[in-house]
Amino acid sequence: PNFWFKGLKKVWGDPNLVTASDALRFQWPSIGKGWERGLLAFTRSRISSTCAYKGGEYQLLNDVLKLPNVKLVIVHGSKDPVIPIKMSKQIMENFGNDYDITFIELEGQGHDPFEERIEEF
């Protein structure tokens, strides 16, 4: 779990809140057979910026938002070192006027707010 513990400390808003239990919870999916293939495929798609959906990720989001009864809630930690908050705000700027989208910024939290402070989330 040391690998996971160190990784979580880099992406959480307050690295001092990471516990051994948190690290273990993140380690569990990597125990399953074949997990490496999935992780490598995901990593390759991110590096090459490929999206199987015709028109790319923004078109996919646009088409999903057009479906009936769809609401989007974007939750972003203000201290997220992985995804700049400006990217989430850009989604709001591009789609927020046309669709039912709510943006929530969680002050002091990092990349994983729903795990960092479970009670608040």
Side-chain angles (χ1 to χ4, degrees):
N2 198 33
F3 168 82
W4 300 101
F5 189 77
K6 288 179 179 178
L8 288 175
K9 285 178 103 38
K10 290 182 179 187
V11 299
W12 279 27
D14 184 349
N16 296 319
L17 296 178
V18 178
T19 66
S21 176
D22 296 323
L24 186 60
R25 205 170 52 251
F26 276 78
Q27 181 185 3
W28 279 112
S30 68
I31 295 172
K33 184 178 179 180
W35 71 272
E36 301 96 335
R37 284 191 309 274
L39 181 60
L40 288 173
F42 173 77
T43 302
R44 277 193 297 271
S45 74
R46 299 295 82 212
I47 291 171
S48 62
S49 296
T50 59
C51 177
Y53 193 81
K54 185 177 180 165
E57 294 173 345
Y58 268 91
Q59 187 61 50
L60 172 60
L61 179 58
N62 189 54
D63 289 349
V64 168
L65 290 170
K66 287 180 184 176
L67 295 171
N69 303 316
V70 172
K71 294 177 79 170
L72 173 63
V73 178
I74 300 171
V75 179
H76 202 119
S78 67
K79 294 177 107 177
D80 186 340
V82 180
I83 309 285
I85 200 162
K86 67 180 180 181
M87 293 179 78
S88 292
K89 290 180 178 180
Q90 184 178 6
I91 291 172
M92 280 297 295
E93 289 173 15
N94 292 342
F95 296 99
N97 293 330
D98 299 323
Y99 301 105
D100 190 358
I101 302 176
T102 303
F103 178 80
I104 300 171
E105 180 177 346
L106 296 178
E107 189 60 42
Q109 296 194 34
H111 185 67
D112 204 3
F114 50 89
E115 291 281 348
E116 290 179 47
R117 297 185 191 152
I118 296 169
E119 310 80 34
E120 291 178 34
F121 194 79

Short mmCIF file of all heavy atoms in Angstrom, two decimals, residues 5-66:
data_model
loop_
_atom_site.label_atom_id
_atom_site.label_comp_id
_atom_site.label_asym_id
_atom_site.label_seq_id
_atom_site.Cartn_x
_atom_site.Cartn_y
_atom_site.Cartn_z
N PHE A 5 -0.35 4.97 -0.98
CA PHE A 5 -0.29 5.99 0.07
C PHE A 5 0.44 7.23 -0.43
O PHE A 5 -0.05 8.35 -0.29
CB PHE A 5 0.42 5.40 1.31
CG PHE A 5 0.34 6.26 2.53
CD1 PHE A 5 -0.82 6.33 3.29
CD2 PHE A 5 1.43 7.01 2.93
CE1 PHE A 5 -0.89 7.12 4.42
CE2 PHE A 5 1.37 7.81 4.06
CZ PHE A 5 0.20 7.86 4.81
N LYS A 6 1.59 7.03 -1.06
CA LYS A 6 2.36 8.16 -1.60
C LYS A 6 1.59 8.87 -2.71
O LYS A 6 1.60 10.10 -2.79
CB LYS A 6 3.71 7.68 -2.13
CG LYS A 6 4.68 7.29 -1.06
CD LYS A 6 5.98 6.82 -1.68
CE LYS A 6 7.00 6.43 -0.64
NZ LYS A 6 8.24 5.94 -1.26
N GLY A 7 0.94 8.10 -3.57
CA GLY A 7 0.17 8.69 -4.67
C GLY A 7 -0.98 9.54 -4.18
O GLY A 7 -1.22 10.65 -4.68
N LEU A 8 -1.72 9.04 -3.20
CA LEU A 8 -2.84 9.79 -2.66
C LEU A 8 -2.38 11.08 -1.99
O LEU A 8 -3.04 12.11 -2.10
CB LEU A 8 -3.63 8.95 -1.65
CG LEU A 8 -4.46 7.81 -2.24
CD1 LEU A 8 -5.08 6.98 -1.13
CD2 LEU A 8 -5.53 8.35 -3.17
N LYS A 9 -1.24 11.03 -1.34
CA LYS A 9 -0.73 12.24 -0.67
C LYS A 9 -0.43 13.34 -1.70
O LYS A 9 -0.48 14.52 -1.38
CB LYS A 9 0.52 11.91 0.13
CG LYS A 9 0.21 11.17 1.43
CD LYS A 9 1.45 10.80 2.18
CE LYS A 9 1.80 11.59 3.32
NZ LYS A 9 1.10 12.18 4.30
N LYS A 10 -0.15 12.96 -2.94
CA LYS A 10 0.16 13.95 -3.97
C LYS A 10 -1.08 14.61 -4.56
O LYS A 10 -0.99 15.69 -5.13
CB LYS A 10 0.98 13.30 -5.09
CG LYS A 10 2.37 12.94 -4.67
CD LYS A 10 3.17 12.36 -5.81
CE LYS A 10 4.57 12.06 -5.32
NZ LYS A 10 5.44 11.64 -6.40
N VAL A 11 -2.22 13.95 -4.48
CA VAL A 11 -3.41 14.50 -5.14
C VAL A 11 -4.50 14.98 -4.19
O VAL A 11 -5.46 15.61 -4.64
CB VAL A 11 -4.02 13.48 -6.15
CG1 VAL A 11 -3.03 13.14 -7.23
CG2 VAL A 11 -4.52 12.24 -5.46
N TRP A 12 -4.39 14.69 -2.91
CA TRP A 12 -5.40 15.15 -1.97
C TRP A 12 -5.14 16.59 -1.57
O TRP A 12 -3.99 17.04 -1.54
CB TRP A 12 -5.44 14.25 -0.74
CG TRP A 12 -6.22 12.99 -0.97
CD1 TRP A 12 -6.41 12.37 -2.17
CD2 TRP A 12 -6.88 12.20 -0.01
NE1 TRP A 12 -7.16 11.24 -2.00
CE2 TRP A 12 -7.47 11.11 -0.68
CE3 TRP A 12 -7.04 12.30 1.36
CZ2 TRP A 12 -8.21 10.14 -0.03
CZ3 TRP A 12 -7.78 11.31 2.01
CH2 TRP A 12 -8.36 10.25 1.32
N GLY A 13 -6.19 17.30 -1.27
CA GLY A 13 -6.06 18.70 -0.87
C GLY A 13 -5.22 18.86 0.39
O GLY A 13 -4.41 19.76 0.51
N ASP A 14 -5.40 17.95 1.35
CA ASP A 14 -4.60 17.95 2.57
C ASP A 14 -3.96 16.58 2.70
O ASP A 14 -4.59 15.62 3.15
CB ASP A 14 -5.47 18.25 3.79
CG ASP A 14 -4.67 18.34 5.08
OD1 ASP A 14 -3.47 17.99 5.08
OD2 ASP A 14 -5.25 18.76 6.10
N PRO A 15 -2.70 16.45 2.29
CA PRO A 15 -2.04 15.15 2.31
C PRO A 15 -1.96 14.52 3.71
O PRO A 15 -1.84 13.31 3.82
CB PRO A 15 -0.64 15.43 1.77
CG PRO A 15 -0.50 16.90 1.67
CD PRO A 15 -1.84 17.51 1.82
N ASN A 16 -2.08 15.31 4.75
CA ASN A 16 -2.02 14.78 6.10
C ASN A 16 -3.26 13.97 6.48
O ASN A 16 -3.27 13.27 7.49
CB ASN A 16 -1.82 15.91 7.11
CG ASN A 16 -0.49 16.60 6.92
OD1 ASN A 16 0.52 15.95 6.68
ND2 ASN A 16 -0.48 17.92 6.99
N LEU A 17 -4.31 14.06 5.67
CA LEU A 17 -5.54 13.32 5.96
C LEU A 17 -5.53 11.91 5.37
O LEU A 17 -6.43 11.12 5.66
CB LEU A 17 -6.75 14.09 5.43
CG LEU A 17 -7.02 15.44 6.08
CD1 LEU A 17 -8.22 16.12 5.42
CD2 LEU A 17 -7.25 15.29 7.57
N VAL A 18 -4.56 11.57 4.54
CA VAL A 18 -4.50 10.23 3.94
C VAL A 18 -4.16 9.20 5.02
O VAL A 18 -3.22 9.38 5.79
CB VAL A 18 -3.44 10.17 2.82
CG1 VAL A 18 -3.36 8.76 2.23
CG2 VAL A 18 -3.77 11.17 1.71
N THR A 19 -4.96 8.13 5.06
CA THR A 19 -4.73 7.07 6.04
C THR A 19 -4.33 5.78 5.32
O THR A 19 -4.50 5.64 4.11
CB THR A 19 -6.00 6.80 6.87
OG1 THR A 19 -7.01 6.26 5.99
CG2 THR A 19 -6.52 8.07 7.54
N ALA A 20 -3.85 4.82 6.08
CA ALA A 20 -3.52 3.50 5.53
C ALA A 20 -4.77 2.84 4.96
O ALA A 20 -4.72 2.15 3.93
CB ALA A 20 -2.88 2.63 6.59
N SER A 21 -5.90 3.07 5.58
CA SER A 21 -7.17 2.52 5.09
C SER A 21 -7.53 3.10 3.72
O SER A 21 -8.01 2.39 2.84
CB SER A 21 -8.28 2.84 6.10
OG SER A 21 -9.53 2.41 5.61
N ASP A 22 -7.27 4.39 3.52
CA ASP A 22 -7.52 5.01 2.21
C ASP A 22 -6.66 4.34 1.15
O ASP A 22 -7.13 4.00 0.06
CB ASP A 22 -7.18 6.51 2.25
CG ASP A 22 -8.07 7.30 3.18
OD1 ASP A 22 -9.28 6.97 3.27
OD2 ASP A 22 -7.56 8.23 3.84
N ALA A 23 -5.37 4.16 1.46
CA ALA A 23 -4.45 3.54 0.51
C ALA A 23 -4.89 2.13 0.15
O ALA A 23 -4.87 1.73 -1.01
CB ALA A 23 -3.03 3.54 1.07
N LEU A 24 -5.32 1.38 1.14
CA LEU A 24 -5.78 0.02 0.90
C LEU A 24 -7.01 0.00 0.01
O LEU A 24 -7.14 -0.84 -0.88
CB LEU A 24 -6.07 -0.67 2.24
CG LEU A 24 -6.41 -2.15 2.17
CD1 LEU A 24 -5.27 -2.94 1.54
CD2 LEU A 24 -6.71 -2.68 3.57
N ARG A 25 -7.93 0.92 0.23
CA ARG A 25 -9.15 1.02 -0.59
C ARG A 25 -8.81 1.27 -2.06
O ARG A 25 -9.45 0.75 -2.96
CB ARG A 25 -10.03 2.14 -0.02
CG ARG A 25 -11.47 2.01 -0.33
CD ARG A 25 -12.36 2.97 0.42
NE ARG A 25 -12.00 4.36 0.33
CZ ARG A 25 -11.48 5.08 1.33
NH1 ARG A 25 -11.24 4.52 2.50
NH2 ARG A 25 -11.19 6.35 1.19
N PHE A 26 -7.79 2.05 -2.32
CA PHE A 26 -7.38 2.34 -3.69
C PHE A 26 -6.58 1.19 -4.29
O PHE A 26 -6.51 1.03 -5.49
CB PHE A 26 -6.58 3.64 -3.77
CG PHE A 26 -7.44 4.85 -3.86
CD1 PHE A 26 -8.07 5.35 -2.74
CD2 PHE A 26 -7.66 5.47 -5.07
CE1 PHE A 26 -8.88 6.46 -2.81
CE2 PHE A 26 -8.47 6.58 -5.17
CZ PHE A 26 -9.09 7.07 -4.03
N GLN A 27 -5.96 0.39 -3.44
CA GLN A 27 -5.15 -0.73 -3.91
C GLN A 27 -6.02 -1.88 -4.40
O GLN A 27 -5.64 -2.60 -5.32
CB GLN A 27 -4.25 -1.20 -2.78
CG GLN A 27 -3.34 -2.36 -3.17
CD GLN A 27 -2.56 -2.89 -1.99
OE1 GLN A 27 -2.71 -2.43 -0.85
NE2 GLN A 27 -1.71 -3.85 -2.24
N TRP A 28 -7.19 -2.06 -3.84
CA TRP A 28 -8.03 -3.23 -4.14
C TRP A 28 -8.28 -3.44 -5.63
O TRP A 28 -8.15 -4.58 -6.11
CB TRP A 28 -9.35 -3.16 -3.39
CG TRP A 28 -9.23 -3.62 -1.98
CD1 TRP A 28 -9.35 -2.85 -0.86
CD2 TRP A 28 -8.92 -4.93 -1.51
NE1 TRP A 28 -9.13 -3.59 0.27
CE2 TRP A 28 -8.86 -4.89 -0.10
CE3 TRP A 28 -8.67 -6.14 -2.14
CZ2 TRP A 28 -8.59 -6.00 0.67
CZ3 TRP A 28 -8.39 -7.25 -1.36
CH2 TRP A 28 -8.36 -7.17 0.02
N PRO A 29 -8.62 -2.45 -6.43
CA PRO A 29 -8.88 -2.73 -7.86
C PRO A 29 -7.66 -3.29 -8.59
O PRO A 29 -7.79 -4.01 -9.57
CB PRO A 29 -9.27 -1.36 -8.43
CG PRO A 29 -9.77 -0.60 -7.26
CD PRO A 29 -8.96 -1.07 -6.09
N SER A 30 -6.45 -2.99 -8.12
CA SER A 30 -5.26 -3.46 -8.81
C SER A 30 -4.96 -4.93 -8.51
O SER A 30 -4.03 -5.50 -9.09
CB SER A 30 -4.05 -2.60 -8.42
OG SER A 30 -3.70 -2.82 -7.06
N ILE A 31 -5.74 -5.53 -7.63
CA ILE A 31 -5.51 -6.93 -7.30
C ILE A 31 -6.19 -7.84 -8.33
O ILE A 31 -5.78 -8.97 -8.54
CB ILE A 31 -6.01 -7.22 -5.87
CG1 ILE A 31 -5.15 -6.44 -4.87
CG2 ILE A 31 -5.98 -8.70 -5.55
CD1 ILE A 31 -5.66 -6.48 -3.44
N GLY A 32 -7.22 -7.34 -9.02
CA GLY A 32 -7.97 -8.14 -9.99
C GLY A 32 -7.13 -8.54 -11.20
O GLY A 32 -6.27 -7.79 -11.66
N LYS A 33 -7.39 -9.70 -11.71
CA LYS A 33 -6.67 -10.22 -12.87
C LYS A 33 -6.93 -9.35 -14.10
O LYS A 33 -8.07 -9.02 -14.40
CB LYS A 33 -7.11 -11.66 -13.15
CG LYS A 33 -6.34 -12.30 -14.27
CD LYS A 33 -6.78 -13.74 -14.48
CE LYS A 33 -6.01 -14.34 -15.64
NZ LYS A 33 -6.41 -15.72 -15.87
N GLY A 34 -5.86 -8.96 -14.77
CA GLY A 34 -5.98 -8.20 -16.01
C GLY A 34 -6.10 -6.70 -15.83
O GLY A 34 -6.30 -5.98 -16.80
N TRP A 35 -5.98 -6.20 -14.61
CA TRP A 35 -6.15 -4.76 -14.37
C TRP A 35 -5.13 -3.94 -15.14
O TRP A 35 -5.41 -2.82 -15.53
CB TRP A 35 -6.08 -4.45 -12.88
CG TRP A 35 -4.71 -4.61 -12.28
CD1 TRP A 35 -4.17 -5.75 -11.76
CD2 TRP A 35 -3.71 -3.61 -12.17
NE1 TRP A 35 -2.90 -5.52 -11.33
CE2 TRP A 35 -2.57 -4.21 -11.57
CE3 TRP A 35 -3.63 -2.26 -12.51
CZ2 TRP A 35 -1.40 -3.53 -11.31
CZ3 TRP A 35 -2.46 -1.56 -12.24
CH2 TRP A 35 -1.36 -2.19 -11.65
N GLU A 36 -3.96 -4.53 -15.39
CA GLU A 36 -2.90 -3.78 -16.08
C GLU A 36 -3.32 -3.39 -17.49
O GLU A 36 -3.05 -2.29 -17.95
CB GLU A 36 -1.61 -4.60 -16.16
CG GLU A 36 -1.05 -5.02 -14.83
CD GLU A 36 -1.47 -6.44 -14.44
OE1 GLU A 36 -2.51 -6.92 -14.92
OE2 GLU A 36 -0.75 -7.04 -13.64
N ARG A 37 -3.99 -4.30 -18.19
CA ARG A 37 -4.43 -4.02 -19.57
C ARG A 37 -5.37 -2.83 -19.61
O ARG A 37 -5.27 -1.97 -20.47
CB ARG A 37 -5.09 -5.25 -20.18
CG ARG A 37 -4.11 -6.32 -20.59
CD ARG A 37 -4.78 -7.42 -21.44
NE ARG A 37 -6.00 -7.96 -20.84
CZ ARG A 37 -6.04 -8.95 -19.96
NH1 ARG A 37 -4.94 -9.52 -19.56
NH2 ARG A 37 -7.18 -9.38 -19.48
N GLY A 38 -6.30 -2.80 -18.68
CA GLY A 38 -7.25 -1.69 -18.64
C GLY A 38 -6.56 -0.37 -18.35
O GLY A 38 -6.84 0.65 -18.98
N LEU A 39 -5.64 -0.38 -17.40
CA LEU A 39 -4.91 0.84 -17.06
C LEU A 39 -4.05 1.31 -18.23
O LEU A 39 -4.02 2.50 -18.55
CB LEU A 39 -4.05 0.62 -15.82
CG LEU A 39 -3.25 1.82 -15.33
CD1 LEU A 39 -4.18 2.99 -14.98
CD2 LEU A 39 -2.40 1.45 -14.12
N LEU A 40 -3.38 0.38 -18.89
CA LEU A 40 -2.55 0.75 -20.04
C LEU A 40 -3.39 1.30 -21.20
O LEU A 40 -3.01 2.27 -21.85
CB LEU A 40 -1.71 -0.43 -20.50
CG LEU A 40 -0.56 -0.81 -19.57
CD1 LEU A 40 0.10 -2.11 -20.03
CD2 LEU A 40 0.46 0.31 -19.49
N ALA A 41 -4.54 0.69 -21.45
CA ALA A 41 -5.42 1.17 -22.52
C ALA A 41 -5.90 2.58 -22.21
O ALA A 41 -5.93 3.45 -23.09
CB ALA A 41 -6.60 0.23 -22.71
N PHE A 42 -6.29 2.81 -20.97
CA PHE A 42 -6.73 4.15 -20.57
C PHE A 42 -5.59 5.16 -20.73
O PHE A 42 -5.78 6.25 -21.27
CB PHE A 42 -7.24 4.14 -19.12
CG PHE A 42 -7.56 5.50 -18.59
CD1 PHE A 42 -8.73 6.12 -18.96
CD2 PHE A 42 -6.68 6.17 -17.76
CE1 PHE A 42 -9.05 7.39 -18.49
CE2 PHE A 42 -6.97 7.43 -17.28
CZ PHE A 42 -8.16 8.04 -17.65
N THR A 43 -4.42 4.79 -20.26
CA THR A 43 -3.26 5.69 -20.35
C THR A 43 -2.92 6.01 -21.79
O THR A 43 -2.67 7.17 -22.14
CB THR A 43 -2.04 5.07 -19.63
OG1 THR A 43 -2.40 4.81 -18.27
CG2 THR A 43 -0.85 5.99 -19.66
N ARG A 44 -2.93 4.99 -22.65
CA ARG A 44 -2.65 5.24 -24.08
C ARG A 44 -3.67 6.19 -24.69
O ARG A 44 -3.33 7.08 -25.47
CB ARG A 44 -2.63 3.92 -24.85
CG ARG A 44 -1.32 3.17 -24.77
CD ARG A 44 -1.26 2.05 -25.80
NE ARG A 44 -2.28 1.04 -25.59
CZ ARG A 44 -2.12 -0.04 -24.83
NH1 ARG A 44 -0.99 -0.25 -24.21
NH2 ARG A 44 -3.10 -0.90 -24.71
N SER A 45 -4.92 6.03 -24.33
CA SER A 45 -5.96 6.90 -24.90
C SER A 45 -5.77 8.34 -24.45
O SER A 45 -6.01 9.28 -25.20
CB SER A 45 -7.35 6.40 -24.53
OG SER A 45 -7.65 6.67 -23.18
N ARG A 46 -5.33 8.53 -23.21
CA ARG A 46 -5.11 9.90 -22.70
C ARG A 46 -3.88 10.53 -23.34
O ARG A 46 -3.88 11.70 -23.68
CB ARG A 46 -4.92 9.89 -21.18
CG ARG A 46 -6.11 9.38 -20.39
CD ARG A 46 -7.36 10.24 -20.49
NE ARG A 46 -8.09 9.94 -21.69
CZ ARG A 46 -8.82 10.80 -22.39
NH1 ARG A 46 -8.96 12.03 -22.02
NH2 ARG A 46 -9.45 10.44 -23.48
N ILE A 47 -2.83 9.75 -23.51
CA ILE A 47 -1.59 10.27 -24.09
C ILE A 47 -1.80 10.65 -25.56
O ILE A 47 -1.35 11.69 -26.01
CB ILE A 47 -0.44 9.27 -23.95
CG1 ILE A 47 -0.04 9.15 -22.48
CG2 ILE A 47 0.76 9.67 -24.81
CD1 ILE A 47 0.94 8.03 -22.19
N SER A 48 -2.53 9.81 -26.26
CA SER A 48 -2.73 10.07 -27.69
C SER A 48 -3.95 10.94 -27.96
O SER A 48 -4.25 11.27 -29.10
CB SER A 48 -2.86 8.75 -28.46
OG SER A 48 -3.98 8.02 -28.00
N SER A 49 -4.67 11.31 -26.90
CA SER A 49 -5.87 12.15 -27.01
C SER A 49 -6.89 11.57 -27.98
O SER A 49 -7.47 12.29 -28.79
CB SER A 49 -5.48 13.58 -27.41
OG SER A 49 -4.72 14.18 -26.41
N THR A 50 -7.07 10.27 -27.92
CA THR A 50 -8.05 9.64 -28.80
C THR A 50 -9.34 9.39 -28.06
O THR A 50 -9.35 9.12 -26.87
CB THR A 50 -7.52 8.30 -29.35
OG1 THR A 50 -7.24 7.44 -28.25
CG2 THR A 50 -6.29 8.49 -30.19
N CYS A 51 -10.41 9.50 -28.79
CA CYS A 51 -11.74 9.21 -28.25
C CYS A 51 -12.47 8.44 -29.33
O CYS A 51 -12.54 8.87 -30.48
CB CYS A 51 -12.48 10.50 -27.90
SG CYS A 51 -14.16 10.20 -27.30
N ALA A 52 -13.01 7.28 -28.97
CA ALA A 52 -13.69 6.44 -29.95
C ALA A 52 -15.00 7.05 -30.44
O ALA A 52 -15.52 6.65 -31.48
CB ALA A 52 -13.96 5.06 -29.34
N TYR A 53 -15.53 8.02 -29.74
CA TYR A 53 -16.80 8.63 -30.10
C TYR A 53 -16.59 9.61 -31.25
O TYR A 53 -15.71 10.48 -31.18
CB TYR A 53 -17.41 9.35 -28.90
CG TYR A 53 -18.85 9.74 -29.09
CD1 TYR A 53 -19.86 8.80 -28.89
CD2 TYR A 53 -19.21 11.02 -29.46
CE1 TYR A 53 -21.19 9.14 -29.06
CE2 TYR A 53 -20.54 11.37 -29.63
CZ TYR A 53 -21.53 10.43 -29.43
OH TYR A 53 -22.83 10.77 -29.60
N LYS A 54 -17.38 9.46 -32.30
CA LYS A 54 -17.24 10.36 -33.45
C LYS A 54 -17.49 11.80 -33.02
O LYS A 54 -18.52 12.13 -32.47
CB LYS A 54 -18.23 9.96 -34.55
CG LYS A 54 -18.04 10.76 -35.81
CD LYS A 54 -18.96 10.32 -36.91
CE LYS A 54 -18.69 11.20 -38.12
NZ LYS A 54 -19.24 10.67 -39.32
N GLY A 55 -16.51 12.65 -33.23
CA GLY A 55 -16.61 14.04 -32.83
C GLY A 55 -15.85 14.33 -31.55
O GLY A 55 -15.69 15.48 -31.16
N GLY A 56 -15.40 13.29 -30.84
CA GLY A 56 -14.58 13.48 -29.65
C GLY A 56 -15.39 13.62 -28.37
O GLY A 56 -16.62 13.49 -28.34
N GLU A 57 -14.67 13.89 -27.29
CA GLU A 57 -15.27 13.92 -25.97
C GLU A 57 -16.28 15.05 -25.78
O GLU A 57 -17.30 14.87 -25.12
CB GLU A 57 -14.17 14.02 -24.91
CG GLU A 57 -13.30 12.79 -24.86
CD GLU A 57 -12.12 12.92 -23.94
OE1 GLU A 57 -11.78 14.06 -23.54
OE2 GLU A 57 -11.52 11.90 -23.61
N TYR A 58 -16.01 16.20 -26.36
CA TYR A 58 -16.97 17.30 -26.21
C TYR A 58 -18.27 16.99 -26.93
O TYR A 58 -19.36 17.32 -26.45
CB TYR A 58 -16.37 18.62 -26.71
CG TYR A 58 -15.68 19.40 -25.62
CD1 TYR A 58 -14.33 19.23 -25.35
CD2 TYR A 58 -16.39 20.29 -24.83
CE1 TYR A 58 -13.70 19.92 -24.33
CE2 TYR A 58 -15.78 20.99 -23.81
CZ TYR A 58 -14.44 20.80 -23.57
OH TYR A 58 -13.82 21.48 -22.55
N GLN A 59 -18.18 16.35 -28.07
CA GLN A 59 -19.40 15.98 -28.80
C GLN A 59 -20.17 14.93 -28.01
O GLN A 59 -21.40 14.96 -27.94
CB GLN A 59 -19.07 15.47 -30.21
CG GLN A 59 -20.30 15.22 -31.05
CD GLN A 59 -21.14 16.48 -31.26
OE1 GLN A 59 -20.61 17.52 -31.63
NE2 GLN A 59 -22.43 16.39 -31.00
N LEU A 60 -19.45 13.98 -27.42
CA LEU A 60 -20.09 12.96 -26.59
C LEU A 60 -20.84 13.62 -25.43
O LEU A 60 -22.01 13.32 -25.18
CB LEU A 60 -19.05 11.98 -26.06
CG LEU A 60 -19.53 10.97 -25.03
CD1 LEU A 60 -20.64 10.08 -25.60
CD2 LEU A 60 -18.37 10.11 -24.54
N LEU A 61 -20.19 14.53 -24.75
CA LEU A 61 -20.84 15.23 -23.64
C LEU A 61 -22.06 16.00 -24.14
O LEU A 61 -23.13 15.96 -23.53
CB LEU A 61 -19.86 16.18 -22.95
CG LEU A 61 -20.42 17.01 -21.79
CD1 LEU A 61 -21.01 16.13 -20.71
CD2 LEU A 61 -19.35 17.92 -21.24
N ASN A 62 -21.92 16.69 -25.24
CA ASN A 62 -23.04 17.45 -25.81
C ASN A 62 -24.21 16.53 -26.13
O ASN A 62 -25.37 16.85 -25.82
CB ASN A 62 -22.57 18.19 -27.06
CG ASN A 62 -23.60 19.16 -27.56
OD1 ASN A 62 -24.08 20.01 -26.82
ND2 ASN A 62 -23.96 19.04 -28.83
N ASP A 63 -23.94 15.38 -26.74
CA ASP A 63 -25.01 14.46 -27.11
C ASP A 63 -25.67 13.86 -25.87
O ASP A 63 -26.89 13.66 -25.84
CB ASP A 63 -24.47 13.35 -28.02
CG ASP A 63 -24.11 13.86 -29.40
OD1 ASP A 63 -24.47 15.02 -29.73
OD2 ASP A 63 -23.46 13.12 -30.15
N VAL A 64 -24.91 13.57 -24.84
CA VAL A 64 -25.48 13.04 -23.60
C VAL A 64 -26.35 14.10 -22.92
O VAL A 64 -27.44 13.81 -22.45
CB VAL A 64 -24.37 12.53 -22.64
CG1 VAL A 64 -24.93 12.24 -21.26
CG2 VAL A 64 -23.69 11.30 -23.22
N LEU A 65 -25.87 15.34 -22.90
CA LEU A 65 -26.64 16.41 -22.26
C LEU A 65 -27.95 16.69 -22.98
O LEU A 65 -28.89 17.21 -22.38
CB LEU A 65 -25.79 17.68 -22.18
CG LEU A 65 -24.63 17.63 -21.19
CD1 LEU A 65 -23.72 18.85 -21.37
CD2 LEU A 65 -25.14 17.54 -19.77
N LYS A 66 -28.04 16.35 -24.25
CA LYS A 66 -29.28 16.54 -25.02
C LYS A 66 -30.35 15.51 -24.68
O LYS A 66 -31.52 15.72 -24.98
CB LYS A 66 -28.99 16.44 -26.52
CG LYS A 66 -28.26 17.62 -27.09
CD LYS A 66 -28.01 17.40 -28.58
CE LYS A 66 -27.20 18.52 -29.18
NZ LYS A 66 -26.89 18.26 -30.60
#
